[in-house]
Amino acid sequence: MKPPFEPSDTLDTYKVAREVTEAEILDMAHQLAEKRLSKGSPLNSPAEVRRHLQTLLHAYEHEIFGIIHLDTQHAVLNFELLFRGTIDAASVYPREVVKAALAINAAAVIFVHNHPSGNAEPSQADQRITKRLVDALATVDIRVIDHFVVGTDAVISFAERGLL
């Protein structure tokens, strides 16, 4: 079967070779979001990060917790899913978060997790673990830039809400 798109002469644009299904469009969006969160990509605004994360995380049926590791200029070192939970919770261990950040030599991080219920509003538990993680990473001079909670129709930024 012929692929639904072919790279054109211009980077990041494609020529449509045949009718594309919704599933293929979603798959292409997922691939593009992963590419935008790959090593060396600059993150310029919370809105940009929000778009990529919603594309990557909105469809999970269980809670996941991830981390975007950043260098000193806030370019992406990598995006890593660290913990997988159940339909309404994920256990997050500060020791493992610190180990992951030190292993890649991150200068800063952005946390992200989803709410499979669809409601992106941060819970008290979300706020408590974020505080613990900020404190743990501060001991090794790693700055927490933001924590995003991904829901069905919204992505909430702790930084924009004044929760960091």
Short mmCIF file of all heavy atoms in Angstrom, two decimals, residues 41-87:
data_model
loop_
_atom_site.label_atom_id
_atom_site.label_comp_id
_atom_site.label_asym_id
_atom_site.label_seq_id
_atom_site.Cartn_x
_atom_site.Cartn_y
_atom_site.Cartn_z
N SER A 41 15.69 20.16 20.23
CA SER A 41 14.56 21.03 19.90
C SER A 41 14.41 22.10 20.97
O SER A 41 14.35 21.79 22.15
CB SER A 41 13.26 20.22 19.83
OG SER A 41 13.35 19.22 18.86
N PRO A 42 14.33 23.36 20.58
CA PRO A 42 14.11 24.41 21.57
C PRO A 42 12.62 24.46 21.95
O PRO A 42 11.76 24.19 21.12
CB PRO A 42 14.51 25.69 20.83
CG PRO A 42 14.26 25.37 19.39
CD PRO A 42 14.52 23.89 19.24
N LEU A 43 12.36 24.75 23.20
CA LEU A 43 10.98 24.93 23.65
C LEU A 43 10.80 26.41 23.93
O LEU A 43 11.42 26.95 24.84
CB LEU A 43 10.70 24.09 24.90
CG LEU A 43 10.84 22.59 24.70
CD1 LEU A 43 10.59 21.86 26.01
CD2 LEU A 43 9.90 22.09 23.62
N ASN A 44 9.97 27.05 23.14
CA ASN A 44 9.88 28.51 23.19
C ASN A 44 8.75 29.07 24.04
O ASN A 44 8.79 30.22 24.41
CB ASN A 44 9.77 29.06 21.76
CG ASN A 44 10.99 28.69 20.94
OD1 ASN A 44 12.12 28.84 21.41
ND2 ASN A 44 10.77 28.18 19.74
N SER A 45 7.73 28.25 24.32
CA SER A 45 6.61 28.78 25.09
C SER A 45 5.80 27.65 25.70
O SER A 45 5.80 26.53 25.18
CB SER A 45 5.69 29.61 24.19
OG SER A 45 4.99 28.75 23.29
N PRO A 46 5.08 27.93 26.79
CA PRO A 46 4.19 26.92 27.36
C PRO A 46 3.15 26.45 26.35
O PRO A 46 2.78 25.27 26.32
CB PRO A 46 3.54 27.63 28.54
CG PRO A 46 4.51 28.69 28.93
CD PRO A 46 5.15 29.13 27.63
N ALA A 47 2.67 27.35 25.49
CA ALA A 47 1.65 26.96 24.49
C ALA A 47 2.19 25.92 23.53
O ALA A 47 1.48 24.97 23.17
CB ALA A 47 1.18 28.20 23.73
N GLU A 48 3.44 26.07 23.12
CA GLU A 48 4.07 25.10 22.22
C GLU A 48 4.19 23.74 22.89
O GLU A 48 3.85 22.71 22.32
CB GLU A 48 5.45 25.62 21.81
CG GLU A 48 6.21 24.67 20.91
CD GLU A 48 7.63 25.17 20.64
OE1 GLU A 48 8.04 26.24 21.15
OE2 GLU A 48 8.32 24.46 19.90
N VAL A 49 4.68 23.71 24.12
CA VAL A 49 4.82 22.47 24.87
C VAL A 49 3.45 21.83 25.07
O VAL A 49 3.29 20.62 24.90
CB VAL A 49 5.51 22.72 26.23
CG1 VAL A 49 5.60 21.44 27.04
CG2 VAL A 49 6.88 23.34 26.02
N ARG A 50 2.48 22.64 25.41
CA ARG A 50 1.11 22.17 25.64
C ARG A 50 0.57 21.40 24.43
O ARG A 50 0.01 20.32 24.56
CB ARG A 50 0.22 23.37 25.96
CG ARG A 50 -1.21 23.04 26.22
CD ARG A 50 -2.04 24.29 26.52
NE ARG A 50 -1.79 24.74 27.88
CZ ARG A 50 -1.14 25.86 28.20
NH1 ARG A 50 -0.68 26.67 27.28
NH2 ARG A 50 -0.96 26.18 29.45
N ARG A 51 0.75 21.96 23.24
CA ARG A 51 0.25 21.31 22.01
C ARG A 51 0.89 19.94 21.81
O ARG A 51 0.22 18.96 21.51
CB ARG A 51 0.53 22.19 20.79
CG ARG A 51 -0.44 23.32 20.61
CD ARG A 51 -0.29 23.99 19.25
NE ARG A 51 1.07 24.39 18.92
CZ ARG A 51 1.62 25.54 19.29
NH1 ARG A 51 0.93 26.40 20.01
NH2 ARG A 51 2.86 25.83 18.95
N HIS A 52 2.20 19.88 21.96
CA HIS A 52 2.91 18.61 21.75
C HIS A 52 2.48 17.57 22.79
O HIS A 52 2.25 16.40 22.44
CB HIS A 52 4.41 18.81 21.82
CG HIS A 52 4.94 19.79 20.82
ND1 HIS A 52 4.48 19.89 19.53
CD2 HIS A 52 5.89 20.73 20.93
CE1 HIS A 52 5.12 20.84 18.88
NE2 HIS A 52 5.99 21.38 19.72
N LEU A 53 2.37 17.98 24.03
CA LEU A 53 2.03 17.03 25.08
C LEU A 53 0.60 16.52 24.94
O LEU A 53 0.34 15.34 25.16
CB LEU A 53 2.24 17.67 26.46
CG LEU A 53 3.69 17.96 26.80
CD1 LEU A 53 3.78 18.69 28.12
CD2 LEU A 53 4.54 16.70 26.82
N GLN A 54 -0.32 17.38 24.57
CA GLN A 54 -1.69 16.93 24.41
C GLN A 54 -1.79 15.89 23.30
O GLN A 54 -2.46 14.89 23.44
CB GLN A 54 -2.65 18.09 24.15
CG GLN A 54 -4.11 17.62 24.18
CD GLN A 54 -5.07 18.74 24.40
OE1 GLN A 54 -4.84 19.85 23.94
NE2 GLN A 54 -6.15 18.46 25.08
N THR A 55 -1.06 16.12 22.22
CA THR A 55 -1.03 15.15 21.12
C THR A 55 -0.47 13.81 21.59
O THR A 55 -0.99 12.76 21.24
CB THR A 55 -0.19 15.69 19.95
OG1 THR A 55 -0.78 16.91 19.50
CG2 THR A 55 -0.13 14.71 18.80
N LEU A 56 0.57 13.84 22.40
CA LEU A 56 1.23 12.61 22.83
C LEU A 56 0.49 11.85 23.92
O LEU A 56 0.53 10.63 23.96
CB LEU A 56 2.64 12.92 23.34
CG LEU A 56 3.67 13.30 22.28
CD1 LEU A 56 4.95 13.76 22.95
CD2 LEU A 56 3.94 12.13 21.35
N LEU A 57 -0.20 12.56 24.82
CA LEU A 57 -0.67 11.91 26.04
C LEU A 57 -2.18 11.81 26.22
O LEU A 57 -2.64 11.14 27.13
CB LEU A 57 -0.09 12.64 27.27
CG LEU A 57 1.42 12.75 27.32
CD1 LEU A 57 1.85 13.49 28.57
CD2 LEU A 57 2.07 11.39 27.26
N HIS A 58 -2.97 12.48 25.41
CA HIS A 58 -4.40 12.55 25.69
C HIS A 58 -5.12 11.20 25.59
O HIS A 58 -6.13 11.00 26.23
CB HIS A 58 -5.08 13.56 24.75
CG HIS A 58 -5.33 13.02 23.39
ND1 HIS A 58 -4.35 12.97 22.43
CD2 HIS A 58 -6.44 12.48 22.84
CE1 HIS A 58 -4.85 12.42 21.34
NE2 HIS A 58 -6.10 12.12 21.55
N ALA A 59 -4.60 10.25 24.84
CA ALA A 59 -5.34 9.01 24.58
C ALA A 59 -5.01 7.86 25.54
O ALA A 59 -5.63 6.81 25.46
CB ALA A 59 -5.10 8.56 23.15
N TYR A 60 -4.07 8.06 26.44
CA TYR A 60 -3.74 6.97 27.38
C TYR A 60 -4.94 6.68 28.28
O TYR A 60 -5.59 7.59 28.77
CB TYR A 60 -2.55 7.35 28.26
CG TYR A 60 -1.21 7.16 27.59
CD1 TYR A 60 -0.60 8.21 26.91
CD2 TYR A 60 -0.54 5.95 27.65
CE1 TYR A 60 0.64 8.05 26.30
CE2 TYR A 60 0.69 5.77 27.05
CZ TYR A 60 1.27 6.83 26.37
OH TYR A 60 2.50 6.67 25.78
N GLU A 61 -5.18 5.40 28.52
CA GLU A 61 -6.28 4.99 29.40
C GLU A 61 -5.81 4.80 30.83
O GLU A 61 -6.61 4.45 31.70
CB GLU A 61 -6.91 3.71 28.86
CG GLU A 61 -7.60 3.93 27.52
CD GLU A 61 -8.22 2.66 26.96
OE1 GLU A 61 -7.98 1.57 27.52
OE2 GLU A 61 -8.93 2.78 25.95
N HIS A 62 -4.53 4.98 31.08
CA HIS A 62 -3.97 4.90 32.43
C HIS A 62 -3.11 6.14 32.64
O HIS A 62 -2.69 6.78 31.69
CB HIS A 62 -3.13 3.63 32.59
CG HIS A 62 -2.10 3.47 31.51
ND1 HIS A 62 -2.38 2.90 30.29
CD2 HIS A 62 -0.81 3.86 31.45
CE1 HIS A 62 -1.30 2.93 29.54
NE2 HIS A 62 -0.33 3.51 30.22
N GLU A 63 -2.89 6.46 33.89
CA GLU A 63 -2.09 7.65 34.18
C GLU A 63 -0.62 7.35 33.95
O GLU A 63 -0.13 6.28 34.30
CB GLU A 63 -2.32 8.10 35.63
CG GLU A 63 -1.81 9.50 35.88
CD GLU A 63 -2.35 10.13 37.15
OE1 GLU A 63 -3.58 10.21 37.29
OE2 GLU A 63 -1.52 10.53 37.98
N ILE A 64 0.04 8.31 33.33
CA ILE A 64 1.48 8.20 33.12
C ILE A 64 2.13 9.50 33.59
O ILE A 64 1.49 10.55 33.61
CB ILE A 64 1.85 7.93 31.65
CG1 ILE A 64 1.23 8.96 30.73
CG2 ILE A 64 1.42 6.55 31.22
CD1 ILE A 64 2.18 9.45 29.73
N PHE A 65 3.39 9.39 33.97
CA PHE A 65 4.16 10.56 34.42
C PHE A 65 5.45 10.57 33.62
O PHE A 65 6.17 9.57 33.55
CB PHE A 65 4.47 10.45 35.92
CG PHE A 65 5.23 11.64 36.45
CD1 PHE A 65 4.55 12.71 37.00
CD2 PHE A 65 6.62 11.67 36.40
CE1 PHE A 65 5.25 13.82 37.49
CE2 PHE A 65 7.32 12.76 36.89
CZ PHE A 65 6.63 13.84 37.43
N GLY A 66 5.73 11.72 33.00
CA GLY A 66 6.93 11.85 32.20
C GLY A 66 7.71 13.09 32.55
O GLY A 66 7.26 13.95 33.32
N ILE A 67 8.88 13.18 31.96
CA ILE A 67 9.77 14.30 32.22
C ILE A 67 10.46 14.70 30.92
O ILE A 67 10.89 13.84 30.15
CB ILE A 67 10.80 13.92 33.32
CG1 ILE A 67 11.67 15.10 33.73
CG2 ILE A 67 11.63 12.74 32.92
CD1 ILE A 67 12.49 14.81 34.99
N ILE A 68 10.51 15.99 30.68
CA ILE A 68 11.28 16.52 29.57
C ILE A 68 12.56 17.08 30.19
O ILE A 68 12.50 18.00 31.02
CB ILE A 68 10.53 17.65 28.82
CG1 ILE A 68 9.19 17.14 28.30
CG2 ILE A 68 11.39 18.20 27.69
CD1 ILE A 68 8.28 18.25 27.77
N HIS A 69 13.68 16.50 29.82
CA HIS A 69 14.97 16.97 30.32
C HIS A 69 15.48 18.07 29.39
O HIS A 69 15.43 17.92 28.17
CB HIS A 69 15.99 15.82 30.34
CG HIS A 69 15.60 14.70 31.25
ND1 HIS A 69 15.13 13.50 30.79
CD2 HIS A 69 15.61 14.61 32.59
CE1 HIS A 69 14.87 12.71 31.81
NE2 HIS A 69 15.15 13.36 32.92
N LEU A 70 15.99 19.14 29.98
CA LEU A 70 16.45 20.30 29.22
C LEU A 70 17.89 20.63 29.56
O LEU A 70 18.35 20.39 30.67
CB LEU A 70 15.57 21.52 29.56
CG LEU A 70 14.06 21.33 29.39
CD1 LEU A 70 13.32 22.51 30.01
CD2 LEU A 70 13.71 21.17 27.93
N ASP A 71 18.57 21.24 28.59
CA ASP A 71 19.93 21.71 28.84
C ASP A 71 19.89 23.12 29.42
O ASP A 71 18.81 23.64 29.74
CB ASP A 71 20.80 21.61 27.57
CG ASP A 71 20.36 22.57 26.46
OD1 ASP A 71 19.59 23.52 26.71
OD2 ASP A 71 20.83 22.36 25.33
N THR A 72 21.03 23.76 29.53
CA THR A 72 21.09 25.10 30.14
C THR A 72 20.38 26.17 29.32
O THR A 72 19.99 27.20 29.85
CB THR A 72 22.55 25.54 30.36
OG1 THR A 72 23.22 25.49 29.11
CG2 THR A 72 23.24 24.65 31.37
N GLN A 73 20.19 25.93 28.02
CA GLN A 73 19.48 26.87 27.14
C GLN A 73 18.01 26.47 26.95
O GLN A 73 17.32 27.02 26.10
CB GLN A 73 20.18 26.93 25.77
CG GLN A 73 21.63 27.34 25.85
CD GLN A 73 21.80 28.71 26.49
OE1 GLN A 73 21.15 29.67 26.08
NE2 GLN A 73 22.67 28.81 27.48
N HIS A 74 17.57 25.48 27.70
CA HIS A 74 16.21 24.94 27.65
C HIS A 74 15.88 24.25 26.33
O HIS A 74 14.72 24.19 25.93
CB HIS A 74 15.16 25.99 28.00
CG HIS A 74 15.28 26.47 29.41
ND1 HIS A 74 14.60 27.55 29.89
CD2 HIS A 74 16.03 26.03 30.45
CE1 HIS A 74 14.92 27.75 31.15
NE2 HIS A 74 15.78 26.83 31.52
N ALA A 75 16.89 23.73 25.66
CA ALA A 75 16.67 22.85 24.51
C ALA A 75 16.46 21.45 25.06
O ALA A 75 17.02 21.07 26.10
CB ALA A 75 17.86 22.88 23.56
N VAL A 76 15.67 20.66 24.37
CA VAL A 76 15.33 19.31 24.83
C VAL A 76 16.55 18.39 24.75
O VAL A 76 17.24 18.34 23.74
CB VAL A 76 14.18 18.73 23.97
CG1 VAL A 76 13.90 17.29 24.36
CG2 VAL A 76 12.93 19.59 24.10
N LEU A 77 16.79 17.68 25.84
CA LEU A 77 17.76 16.59 25.84
C LEU A 77 17.05 15.28 25.52
O LEU A 77 17.54 14.48 24.74
CB LEU A 77 18.46 16.49 27.20
CG LEU A 77 19.37 17.65 27.57
CD1 LEU A 77 19.81 17.56 29.02
CD2 LEU A 77 20.56 17.72 26.63
N ASN A 78 15.90 15.07 26.15
CA ASN A 78 15.03 13.95 25.79
C ASN A 78 13.69 14.08 26.51
O ASN A 78 13.51 14.91 27.41
CB ASN A 78 15.69 12.59 26.06
CG ASN A 78 15.61 12.15 27.50
OD1 ASN A 78 15.38 12.94 28.41
ND2 ASN A 78 15.81 10.87 27.73
N PHE A 79 12.75 13.27 26.08
CA PHE A 79 11.44 13.16 26.72
C PHE A 79 11.30 11.71 27.13
O PHE A 79 11.46 10.80 26.31
CB PHE A 79 10.33 13.55 25.74
CG PHE A 79 8.94 13.30 26.26
CD1 PHE A 79 8.52 13.84 27.46
CD2 PHE A 79 8.05 12.52 25.54
CE1 PHE A 79 7.23 13.62 27.94
CE2 PHE A 79 6.76 12.29 26.01
CZ PHE A 79 6.36 12.84 27.21
N GLU A 80 11.02 11.50 28.40
CA GLU A 80 11.00 10.15 28.95
C GLU A 80 9.74 9.93 29.78
O GLU A 80 9.41 10.75 30.64
CB GLU A 80 12.25 9.97 29.82
CG GLU A 80 12.40 8.65 30.47
CD GLU A 80 13.70 8.54 31.28
OE1 GLU A 80 14.37 9.56 31.51
OE2 GLU A 80 14.01 7.41 31.71
N LEU A 81 9.05 8.83 29.51
CA LEU A 81 7.93 8.43 30.36
C LEU A 81 8.52 7.58 31.48
O LEU A 81 9.10 6.52 31.22
CB LEU A 81 6.89 7.64 29.55
CG LEU A 81 6.24 8.42 28.42
CD1 LEU A 81 5.25 7.55 27.66
CD2 LEU A 81 5.54 9.67 28.94
N LEU A 82 8.38 8.05 32.71
CA LEU A 82 9.03 7.38 33.84
C LEU A 82 8.14 6.41 34.59
O LEU A 82 8.61 5.38 35.06
CB LEU A 82 9.56 8.42 34.84
CG LEU A 82 10.74 9.26 34.40
CD1 LEU A 82 11.08 10.28 35.48
CD2 LEU A 82 11.93 8.39 34.12
N PHE A 83 6.87 6.76 34.76
CA PHE A 83 5.99 5.95 35.60
C PHE A 83 4.65 5.72 34.92
O PHE A 83 4.12 6.62 34.28
CB PHE A 83 5.75 6.64 36.95
CG PHE A 83 7.02 6.98 37.68
CD1 PHE A 83 7.46 8.30 37.74
CD2 PHE A 83 7.78 6.01 38.30
CE1 PHE A 83 8.63 8.63 38.39
CE2 PHE A 83 8.95 6.33 38.96
CZ PHE A 83 9.38 7.65 39.02
N ARG A 84 4.14 4.52 35.10
CA ARG A 84 2.82 4.16 34.59
C ARG A 84 1.96 3.77 35.79
O ARG A 84 2.41 3.04 36.66
CB ARG A 84 2.92 2.99 33.62
CG ARG A 84 1.57 2.56 33.12
CD ARG A 84 1.62 1.31 32.30
NE ARG A 84 0.23 0.90 32.09
CZ ARG A 84 -0.15 0.07 31.19
NH1 ARG A 84 0.72 -0.49 30.39
NH2 ARG A 84 -1.41 -0.24 31.06
N GLY A 85 0.73 4.27 35.80
CA GLY A 85 -0.15 3.98 36.92
C GLY A 85 -1.42 3.29 36.49
O GLY A 85 -1.45 2.53 35.52
N THR A 86 -2.48 3.61 37.22
CA THR A 86 -3.79 3.02 36.97
C THR A 86 -4.68 4.09 36.34
O THR A 86 -4.18 5.11 35.87
CB THR A 86 -4.41 2.54 38.30
OG1 THR A 86 -4.56 3.68 39.16
CG2 THR A 86 -3.52 1.50 38.98
N ILE A 87 -5.97 3.87 36.36
CA ILE A 87 -6.89 4.82 35.72
C ILE A 87 -6.96 6.15 36.44
O ILE A 87 -7.40 7.14 35.86
CB ILE A 87 -8.31 4.24 35.55
CG1 ILE A 87 -8.91 3.89 36.91
CG2 ILE A 87 -8.29 3.06 34.61
CD1 ILE A 87 -10.38 3.55 36.86
#
